[in-house]
């Protein structure tokens, strides 16, 4: 199939009547779901809310708060004026990069792979030079990203890059992020012990992979389990109450 990057819900769920009723909800690719709030907010941060219908046959995580939502159901979502309700599909690698002023034209020297708790999923990172029409002639590259849970172990695979384009970096480092998980017991990188950083504010285990050629695969295994979903939900609610009261 050939679908635009920005797509209404009914393109993904053409047989679901609910998908046609949600005018202000859309997908950004296959694994990110957006539902902007277009209502007046309260407090100095202008916190507002709306009822969101979450796409079925999936579980969704709020990128900003870690709050978890079940697909096929409605829920009330809140956000401050500087936030957009953005949700990631559970168990699917989300490719990211550090901030740059013009991300589309900047070479990805650090590839961030963020995976929210789930069972199994995969995605593909597409790359080109971001400046020319060389992609029309096939000047582009892609990388398969895979996620799988095996008991208490989370396995993340980054496959070797396929394809070439002008200006393509021949090496990069990686940052594997596992939010909404408990502090890891162990971790390995390519079957060797690896250091794990833990960000308690986002309940995130982080494994940094030193620079290597893009033709080399990466395999990270982390022993951890998901945190109680009530924890980020309660923290998000507490934060909203504080912002509204200011």
């Amino acid at each position: 199939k050939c679908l635009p990057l920005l797509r209404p819900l009914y393109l993904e769920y053409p047989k679901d009547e609910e998908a046609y009723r949600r005018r202000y909800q859309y997908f950004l690719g296959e694994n990110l779901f957006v539902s902007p709030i277009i209502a007046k907010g309260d407090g100095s941060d202008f916190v507002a809310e709306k009822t969101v219908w979450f796409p079925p046959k999936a579980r969704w995580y709020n990128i900003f708060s870690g709050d978890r939502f079940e697909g096929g159901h409605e829920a009330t979502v809140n956000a401050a004026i500087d936030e957009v309700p953005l949700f990631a599909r559970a168990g699917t690698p989300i490719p990211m990069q550090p901030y740059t002023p013009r991300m589309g034209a900047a070479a990805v020297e650090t590839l961030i792979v963020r995976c929210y708790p789930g069972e199994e999923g995969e995605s593909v990172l597409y790359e080109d030079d971001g400046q020319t029409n060389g992609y029309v002639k096939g000047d582009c590259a892609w990388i398969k990203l895979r996620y799988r849970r095996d008991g208490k172990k989370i396995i993340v695979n980054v496959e070797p890059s396929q394809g070439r384009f002008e200006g393509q970096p021949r090496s990069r480092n990686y940052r594997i992020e596992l939010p909404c998980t408990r502090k890891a017991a162990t971790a390995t990188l390519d079957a060797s012990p690896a250091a794990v950083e833990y960000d308690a504010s986002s309940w995130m285990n982080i494994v940094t992979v030193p620079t290597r050629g893009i033709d080399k695969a990466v395999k990270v295994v982390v022993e951890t389990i998901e945190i109680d979903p009530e924890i980020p939900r309660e923290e998000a609610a507490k934060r909203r109450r504080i912002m509204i009261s200011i």
Side-chain angles (χ1 to χ4, degrees), residues 7-19:
R7 60 191 76 158
L9 301 186
Y10 56 76
L11 286 185
E12 290 285 352
Y13 300 95
K15 297 181 180 181
D16 197 320
E17 290 294 330
E18 198 65 41

Side-chain angles (χ1 to χ4, degrees), residues 13-246:
Y13 300 95
K15 297 181 180 181
D16 197 320
E17 290 294 330
E18 198 65 41
Y20 294 85
R21 299 191 183 101
R22 307 293 169 157
R23 296 176 57 191
Y24 301 112
Q25 299 184 188
Y26 56 89
F27 278 100
L28 185 60
E30 295 181 358
N31 301 313
L32 292 175
F33 165 62
V34 193
S35 185
I37 297 178
I38 50 175
K40 183 180 178 180
D42 298 317
S44 60
D45 289 290
F46 299 96
V47 177
E49 67 178 34
K50 72 178 293 187
T51 299
V52 176
W53 177 74
F54 288 87
K57 299 180 181 179
R59 180 175 286 168
W60 301 91
Y61 286 83
N62 187 310
I63 291 285
F64 294 99
S65 68
D67 206 353
R68 192 180 83 181
F69 300 89
E70 298 297 329
H73 298 277
E74 287 185 342
T76 300
V77 172
N78 305 77
I81 195 170
D82 60 348
E83 298 174 341
V84 175
L86 173 64
F87 307 92
R89 189 187 297 271
T92 303
I94 306 295
M96 305 169 64
Q97 72 181 91
Y99 170 80
T100 61
R102 191 182 176 201
M103 301 184 75
V108 182
E109 296 180 353
T110 299
L111 176 58
I112 301 171
V113 182
R114 180 177 295 184
C115 307
Y116 287 85
E119 295 304 317
E120 187 171 6
E122 64 178 53
S123 60
V124 176
L125 170 63
Y126 167 88
E127 298 179 284
D128 58 36
D129 62 18
Q131 302 181 59
T132 72
N133 292 327
Y135 66 91
V136 177
K137 301 181 295 181
D139 296 339
C140 59
W142 57 95
I143 302 173
K144 286 188 177 181
L145 311 171
R146 304 183 188 275
Y147 169 100
R148 180 170 60 88
R149 171 172 286 284
D150 182 9
K152 293 184 178 181
K153 292 183 178 180
I154 294 173
I155 301 99
V156 179
N157 292 92
V158 180
E159 296 190 0
S161 180
Q162 305 292 321
R164 294 291 297 271
F165 60 88
E166 186 70 25
Q168 181 184 22
R170 302 311 302 164
S171 63
R172 59 166 51 115
N173 56 72
Y174 302 83
R175 178 182 165 101
I176 310 301
E177 299 184 345
L178 303 175
C180 300
T181 57
R182 294 184 182 179
K183 189 173 183 179
T186 62
T188 61
L189 168 60
D190 300 330
S192 296
V196 185
E197 174 189 349
Y198 191 70
D199 181 357
S201 65
S202 56
W203 313 280
M204 182 186 295
N205 285 288
I206 303 165
V207 177
T208 299
V209 180
T211 301
R212 64 175 60 186
I214 61 173
D215 59 338
K216 305 296 183 182
V218 174
K219 182 178 181 179
V220 170
V221 180
V222 179
E223 186 178 350
T224 182
I225 60 174
E226 182 178 3
I227 61 169
D228 183 344
E230 288 300 319
I231 295 176
R233 184 170 295 120
E234 291 173 0
E235 286 294 319
K238 178 181 177 181
R239 174 172 165 269
R240 288 192 295 269
R241 287 194 296 271
I242 294 174
M243 289 192 295
I244 291 173
S245 65
I246 296 176

